[in-house]
Amino acid sequence: MENLFGIPMQSIMIALLVAFGLCLGVGGWIYLRHRIIFRMGIRNARRRPAQTSLIVIGLMLSTLIIAAALTTGDTLNYSIKSTVLDILEHTDELVVPANGDDAEANVQPGVTFPQQVAADLEAALAGDAVIDGVMPVLTQPVPILNPKTQLSEPMVTAVGIDPAALGPFGGLRDIEGNDIELTALPEGAVVLGKTTAERLDAVVGDTLTVYVENEPHDVTVAAIASDSILTGMQDPGQAGGFVMALDRAQALLELPGQISFIAVSNAGGVADGAEATDAAVTAIEQALGEAPYQAVRVKQRALDMAEEGANVFTSIFLVLGLFSIAAGILLIFLIFVLLAAERKPEMGMARAVGMKRRQLTEMFLAEGIAYDLVSAMIGAALGVGVAFVIAGVMGRLVGEFFDIVPTAHWRSLVVAYSLGVVVTFATIAISSWRVSRLNIVRAIRDIPEPQRQRAGNRWLIFGILGVVLGALLMWVGADTDKLFPYSIGISLLPLSLAAALRRFGLPARLLYTVASLFVLTYWLLPDSLHQKLFPVLSGGMEMFFVSGVMMVAAATMAIIWNAEVATSLVGLLGRTFSRWLPAVKTAVAYPLASKGRTGMTIAMFSLIVFSLVMMATIDRNFTELFSGEEAAAGWDIAATRVASDPMPAFDQALAESGVDTSKVAATGRLRQVASYSSEIRMAGTQEWKRYTINGVDAAFIEHSHLPVKIRATGYDSDAAIWEALRQNPDLAVIDGFALEGPTVQVGSPSNFILQGVQAGDTTMEPIQVEIGDPLSGRTRTVTVIGVLDPKVSMIFGLFVNDAAFDQVFAQPNQTTYYVQTQPGTDDVAFAKEIKAKLIAYGVQAESLEKLIEQETAISRGFLLLIEGFMALGLVVGIAALGVIAFRSVVERRQQIGMLRAIGYQRSMVAASFLIESTMITVLGVGSGTILGLILSRNLMTSDEFTGSSGAAATFLVPWGTIALFVGIALAAGLLMAYIPARKAASVPIADALRYE
């Protein structure tokens, strides 16, 4: 990848290497100036290998998450770019009829222009050092059949190229690498693309039937070549096509002297040719002059889209991985707090004999740097392994479109390692400074610090600063319409106020309970109440992380400061479980005595479980929302036709072709102009935008189930909306993706956004928009009277009736015939029958239920992949429990001896440790689960998703997935507690009492 979050990766790497050098410089300075202090810190890392291994596992996770995300981005970037370069080869630009938008211009099926344009362009560019090839190309979608195998494809691309111009484009080679001379091929021979050959099960020598203007023509497979733009493969996942000499293609397709586009090759190789795109486009535009054609940066655009796609995926992984990184930072603090607690007497003695506080900090820093450098290296290596596993899963999900090639770029590994070291070092530095603040006498005697009624001035200062910062963030958020700073500010404000008020002796439990409940109320209020009490601001994906951190922090604070309630509940167990009551009381009392470490452990589990529950729940509800019964608008089969050849009425074509029409209950037609072939804008504005525009016939309107989410005033039902559109060519309905709202806008910035209505509205005023055909220049103003419910996920765009469509557009890019079948019909088999019988017309028929299942499977696969990636964060919680459990045995060795001396049995000591770990795990898992479910429910039942249908919102809980996450967390918690619990139970009484 070249960029991340809009910042060049090279700049990120340099900045991180400088920071990494500073971290090493600190370690080197400690070593040179205080070598004994340095050795004392390193010695602690070597003394206990098991503990050190556990610490390294905990510290490496942040680097692992970063390395996995960056390597996954590199893998996607390389894989997509490789596919792009394989398809385009030496073709860098295309020249096509102008439509006024270079960002969206492309080859349009059925649109041709005179071949003489290519000859004139070649002559004008002769001698240009930037461009080394110009080639006229004719393409046309046609149906094709292999009579031998009876396999067919309703839409492959017939390609005609000029053999004399083929040299600068790398020539044409078969799949074995042998050169192919098109001029040497016999009459009627073609070169078949690899994908087309596989789909037709065709081999060299087979005779295929191609349908042109509904008439069959036989062609012979002379060779099979790799998929490329020269063999009809323009985008990954297409059926490909076949290629022949241009004059023969023009004769076959009955388009004499016509071409579809002009391919241009820049000087240089396949990859570096794109670097000259700007100069080449300038030269082409100068050569074209005022001619109605334009240059399309086809290779540069495709490579930029590959980079953007990789960046988006990496950003998603990094943002969602922030939960694990945050938990890892908490673990670092926890580790050093526990190390300090274990070495408290040792540090007290060191301070007593003259060691300064700064030197204690340096000792912990030296130890931390040793952990840091090793853990980051292991994390980076394991991150690459995780990314390769992710690549394997993605390969199974999208292998139909392009090959996923696991790739690790050295720059990304340097960034991941350096960032992991820097983040961990900063956390270690803060925690080292924190643990060095101790009272010498109390440290030597190993007694706790006294609990004061009033907090110190430090709490007052930090509290006031927090209040000021929170208020400032709220003001910035409200002023810029950004939810991110506003939500942080309003969450920080009460917590900081509670900290400041502690200075005046107010009860800490009351202050923190009220503050945390306010924060939880802000985040968990139902959407309808939230909009009434707080300003409606815009936010993005970052809110997922912010909401989790703020809610988990508030919930953990509420739990910790009210955990004494648990001790009263323990008394209720006394009568029934009197034998185990002492172990239970001990298990409860110890965590409550160390609120800080207990709170951090609870927060770790809560953060990770919250993110997993949110993702799983949203995945379940979105899948149900967009793949439910309304997704296909009541239709069962979609029969799509791209060819512009004449065809009888669909019902007539079915009957004449021998299709069993008794299975047909109803049909309807939708003609579609894709976004790159249309124009749309708000009436009265100047700038044209892009959007898919559909023309629907009366039968489609009559038999479709198209719920309207937002209705214009004056229309009291969905039926009234569609009846008005059927009768009036001045009216239109648009889908919900054209609205501004909380959903992520997909596609180009030039996509149309409907102004004056937002997601979540229930009614709207009629809105006028202007639609147009950029080729013919015809335009028409229509009035939008409704917004389609997003549950109709298989049909999209702006809808007008046939009369309005015909007045603007000369022909559609494709026509889709929708079929409702009789009950009991096998839709998959019937779709295959329609496809086979209408092959001459180039009809591609598919079961809509099957298409929905395929799309859902891919999207769910990616979501499950992300959930699995996020589940790595459970390692943090498990490591935290392991650290706490192992350290508790050492720290409480004398307490264990005392308990055994007064009658505790070994089983009771072990049970105490197990109950303690289980209680912490249950509190964290329970908190994260409840918060995730409530927030998910508020999101999925908000106005933005329920629409205006008036039906009660359905909220689905993926209990199985949640049970799996909870089960893993609890099982791991018990496992990590079991070993130290057994160790604690086996400690000899005398040795424990003498332990120092």
Side-chain angles (χ1 to χ4, degrees):
M1 293 187 305
E2 299 300 324
N3 297 278
L4 182 64
F5 300 118
I7 306 173
M9 283 289 288
Q10 191 73 14
S11 301
I12 294 175
M13 182 183 70
I14 293 173
L16 286 174
L17 284 176
V18 171
F20 175 71
L22 291 175
C23 296
L24 290 182
V26 171
W29 182 84
I30 296 173
Y31 177 77
L32 294 175
R33 294 293 300 272
H34 305 282
R35 191 164 299 183
I36 294 177
I37 298 295
F38 185 88
R39 289 179 176 176
M40 290 175 65
I42 297 298
R43 180 197 61 177
N44 289 323
R46 298 197 305 262
R47 286 170 62 185
R48 298 183 177 90
Q51 172 185 285
T52 299
S53 300
L54 198 59
I55 291 173
V56 168
I57 291 173
L59 297 187
M60 76 178 183
L61 195 68
S62 296
T63 310
L64 187 153
I65 296 292
I66 298 168
L70 294 180
T71 304
T72 300
D74 286 336
T75 295
L76 282 174
N77 188 36
Y78 176 81
S79 300
I80 301 175
K81 285 186 175 181
S82 296
T83 302
V84 167
L85 295 176
D86 289 343
I87 290 176
L88 293 176
E89 295 184 331
H90 288 272
T91 301
D92 297 294
E93 293 87 34
L94 303 179
V95 177
V96 300
N99 72 348
D101 188 355
D102 179 58
E104 295 291 338
N106 210 333
V107 180
Q108 300 183 37
V111 177
T112 60
F113 56 94
Q115 182 177 345
Q116 185 61 38
V117 176
D120 294 341
L121 180 63
E122 183 177 10
L125 292 173
D128 193 297
V130 176
I131 296 173
D132 63 5
V134 176
M135 180 171 62
V137 181
L138 174 65
T139 63
Q140 191 76 6
V142 295
I144 191 169
L145 169 70
N146 186 349
K148 185 177 71 174
T149 62
Q150 289 299 304
L151 295 175
S152 63
E153 278 295 328
M155 188 174 65
V156 301
T157 303
V159 182
I161 57 178
D162 183 359
L166 192 55
F169 292 85
L172 193 64
R173 289 176 295 277
D174 63 19
I175 54 178
E176 296 178 354
N178 302 314
D179 291 333
I180 301 173
E181 291 292 339
L182 287 179
T183 54
L185 299 182
E187 188 74 26
V190 300
V191 177
L192 204 61
K194 180 181 178 183
T195 296
T196 309
E198 291 173 349
R199 294 194 180 190
L200 298 175
D201 195 14
V203 296
V204 174
D206 282 354
T207 298
L208 309 178
T209 301
V210 176
Y211 293 88
V212 180
E213 296 290 341
N214 307 328
E215 295 294 329
H217 298 266
D218 289 340
V219 297
T220 303
V221 180
I224 298 175
S226 300
D227 292 326
S228 72
I229 192 172
L230 300 181
T231 57
M233 182 67 76
Q234 296 181 3
D235 292 303
Q238 290 183 337
F242 60 87
V243 61
M244 55 181 24
L246 179 58
D247 56 347
R248 294 179 180 180
Q250 290 170 336
L252 175 67
L253 300 173
E254 301 177 9
L255 293 169
Q258 296 292 301
I259 59 174
S260 301
F261 62 88
I262 303 170
V264 179
S265 172
N266 298 341
V270 172
D272 56 4
E275 298 175 2
T277 296
D278 291 341
V281 168
T282 300
I284 294 170
E285 290 177 345
Q286 290 176 351
L288 290 171
E290 299 298 325
Y293 305 99
Q294 68 183 106
V296 181
R297 306 164 186 263
V298 59
K299 183 179 288 185
Q300 185 184 76
R301 185 172 67 184
L303 294 176
D304 289 345
M305 290 176 64
E307 176 77 19
E308 182 180 352
N311 286 341
V312 168
F313 209 90
T314 303
S315 300
I316 291 174
F317 268 62
L318 282 177
V319 170
L320 297 179
L322 287 175
F323 287 98
S324 299
I325 294 173
I329 291 174
L330 288 176
L331 177 58
I332 297 170
F333 275 106
L334 180 64
I335 287 173
F336 278 84
V337 167
L338 289 172
L339 290 177
E342 173 196 350
R343 303 170 190 168
K344 194 173 181 179
E346 175 186 334
M347 291 191 298
M349 290 296 296
R351 291 280 285 117
V353 299
M355 183 179 288
K356 298 179 180 179
R357 181 177 294 165
R358 173 175 53 82
Q359 293 172 324
L360 278 182
T361 303
E362 291 171 355
M363 183 176 68
F364 273 102
L365 270 176
E367 181 178 357
I369 290 173
Y371 295 141
D372 191 7
L373 296 176
V374 175
S375 64
M377 185 175 297
I378 297 174
L382 291 179
V384 173
V386 169
F388 280 20
V389 172
I390 292 173
V393 176
M394 286 195 297
R396 289 192 289 272
L397 293 174
V398 299
E400 179 183 354
F401 305 101
F402 53 88
D403 294 330
I404 297 293
V405 181
T407 306
H409 196 281
W410 66 269
R411 184 171 55 195
S412 295
L413 294 180
V414 170
V415 168
Y417 180 77
S418 301
L419 184 57
V421 169
V422 171
V423 170
T424 305
F425 177 83
T427 310
I428 289 171
I430 296 172
S431 56
S432 299
W433 171 81
R434 173 67 181 83
V435 299
S436 67
R437 301 176 62 85
L438 50 83
N439 180 282
I440 297 177
V441 176
R442 292 183 178 278
I444 294 174
R445 299 176 63 188
D446 196 16
I447 57 178
E449 299 291 330
Q451 298 293 326
R452 295 183 295 179
Q453 286 295 110
R454 291 173 175 264
N457 290 329
R458 187 176 55 181
W459 285 95
L460 178 61
I461 295 172
F462 283 122
I464 293 175
L465 291 176
V467 169
V468 173
L469 178 60
L472 181 62
L473 288 172
M474 289 178 63
W475 176 79
V476 170
D479 185 61
T480 59
D481 189 38
K482 298 295 183 183
L483 185 57
F484 178 74
Y486 183 89
S487 61
I488 295 178
I490 201 171
S491 302
L492 184 63
L493 193 64
L495 298 177
S496 300
L497 185 61
L501 291 177
R502 282 193 61 191
R503 175 64 181 82
F504 303 101
L506 294 177
R509 179 190 297 180
L510 175 63
L511 289 173
Y512 287 126
T513 300
V514 172
S516 58
L517 290 178
F518 176 86
V519 174
L520 289 173
T521 301
Y522 170 79
W523 286 103
L524 297 178
L525 268 180
D527 185 67
S528 57
L529 289 176
H530 200 283
Q531 292 186 6
K532 293 179 181 178
L533 298 175
F534 303 99
V536 179
L537 306 173
S538 60
M541 188 178 177
E542 71 280 355
M543 296 310 302
F544 182 42
F545 174 69
V546 174
S547 64
V549 170
M550 292 303 175
M551 286 194 298
V552 165
T556 303
M557 189 173 293
I559 291 171
I560 291 300
W561 285 100
N562 292 277
E564 284 81 356
V565 177
T567 57
S568 60
L569 295 177
V570 170
L572 300 177
L573 302 175
R575 297 179 181 178
T576 308
F577 304 101
S578 56
R579 177 185 176 187
W580 299 101
L581 184 59
V584 174
K585 286 186 174 182
T586 305
V588 173
Y590 184 76
L592 296 183
S594 305
K595 288 184 172 63
R597 70 179 70 171
T598 302
M600 282 189 284
T601 310
I602 292 174
M604 287 181 219
F605 271 105
S606 187
L607 267 176
I608 302 304
V609 173
F610 167 84
S611 62
L612 291 172
V613 169
M614 278 285 291
M615 283 297 299
T617 306
I618 291 175
D619 170 24
R620 178 72 177 87
N621 283 273
F622 264 93
T623 300
E624 183 68 21
L625 178 65
F626 295 113
S627 63
E629 296 180 357
E630 296 173 311
W635 299 103
D636 301 304
I637 293 173
T640 303
R641 185 171 185 264
V642 177
S644 58
D645 300 342
M647 172 179 163
F650 185 64
D651 292 338
Q652 179 184 344
L654 290 176
E656 292 178 351
S657 302
V659 175
D660 185 0
T661 55
S662 64
K663 298 178 181 179
V664 178
T667 62
R669 186 189 67 189
L670 181 148
R671 292 181 295 166
Q672 185 176 86
V673 176
S675 60
Y676 58 78
S677 299
S678 65
E679 293 178 331
I680 184 172
R681 62 187 177 188
M682 297 294 298
T685 61
Q686 298 297 318
E687 185 179 2
W688 286 107
K689 297 290 186 177
R690 303 293 173 186
Y691 214 69
T692 299
I693 298 177
N694 305 295
V696 294
D697 66 2
F700 179 87
I701 294 175
E702 178 183 355
H703 297 290
S704 295
H705 177 64
L706 294 165
V708 178
K709 178 183 177 183
I710 307 172
R711 292 195 295 266
T713 55
Y715 299 91
D716 58 359
S717 66
D718 294 352
I721 292 279
W722 291 108
E723 179 61 23
L725 184 142
R726 185 181 70 83
Q727 296 182 4
N728 192 340
D730 294 326
L731 302 180
V733 172
I734 199 167
D735 64 19
F737 289 102
L739 302 184
E740 289 182 321
T743 56
V744 178
Q745 298 294 333
V746 179
S748 168
S750 63
N751 280 2
F752 174 71
I753 299 295
L754 186 67
Q755 305 295 327
V757 60
Q758 293 188 348
D761 292 344
T762 56
T763 60
M764 58 180 281
E765 292 299 322
I767 301 172
Q768 287 191 333
V769 301
E770 191 175 357
I771 60 175
D773 183 348
L775 291 178
S776 67
R778 293 194 296 265
T779 64
R780 182 182 182 87
T781 300
V782 295
T783 302
V784 177
I785 59 172
V787 177
L788 196 62
D789 196 305
K791 293 179 181 178
V792 185
S793 58
M794 300 301 291
I795 301 174
F796 53 89
L798 180 134
F799 303 85
V800 297
N801 67 20
D802 272 344
F805 188 88
D806 289 333
Q807 290 173 11
V808 179
F809 301 101
Q811 66 180 31
N813 293 127
Q814 71 176 34
T815 300
T816 303
Y817 301 96
Y818 289 94
V819 181
Q820 286 180 358
T821 57
Q822 297 289 355
T825 301
D826 184 341
D827 294 335
V828 175
F830 191 45
K832 291 181 179 179
E833 180 184 353
I834 293 174
K835 175 182 174 181
K837 295 295 178 64
L838 299 184
I839 182 64
Y841 299 110
V843 173
Q844 172 73 55
E846 292 284 356
S847 163
L848 284 168
E849 182 179 0
K850 180 181 177 181
L851 288 176
I852 292 171
E853 288 177 355
Q854 290 174 345
E855 292 185 5
T856 301
I858 293 176
S859 60
R860 290 207 66 190
F862 273 109
L863 288 171
L864 289 173
L865 183 64
I866 293 174
E867 289 175 25
F869 178 77
M870 296 170 65
L872 291 171
L874 285 176
V875 176
V876 176
I878 295 169
L881 272 182
V883 171
I884 288 177
F886 276 100
R887 297 313 314 146
S888 294
V889 173
V890 176
E891 184 179 333
R892 294 153 61 183
R893 196 175 179 94
Q894 286 186 332
Q895 297 177 20
I896 294 170
M898 291 295 295
L899 292 174
R900 295 280 286 115
I902 62 176
Y904 266 61
Q905 299 178 358
R906 290 186 175 182
S907 59
M908 293 176 65
V909 173
S912 178
F913 278 88
L914 282 173
I915 293 171
E916 179 182 325
S917 296
T918 303
M919 181 186 71
I920 293 174
T921 306
V922 168
L923 286 174
V925 170
S927 172
T929 302
I930 294 171
L931 293 176
L933 287 176
I934 295 176
L935 190 61
S936 299
R937 185 184 184 282
N938 289 347
L939 174 66
M940 300 309 302
T941 57
S942 63
D943 293 341
E944 284 81 0
F945 295 96
T946 58
S948 58
S949 62
T954 301
F955 178 67
L956 304 174
V957 179
W959 292 114
T961 305
I962 293 176
L964 176 64
F965 293 144
V966 171
I968 292 174
L970 293 177
L974 288 174
L975 178 64
M976 294 302 292
Y978 175 73
I979 299 175
R982 286 192 59 185
K983 181 179 179 181
S986 62
V987 173
I989 299 176
D991 290 347
L993 291 174
R994 291 197 302 265
Y995 178 78
E996 294 182 0

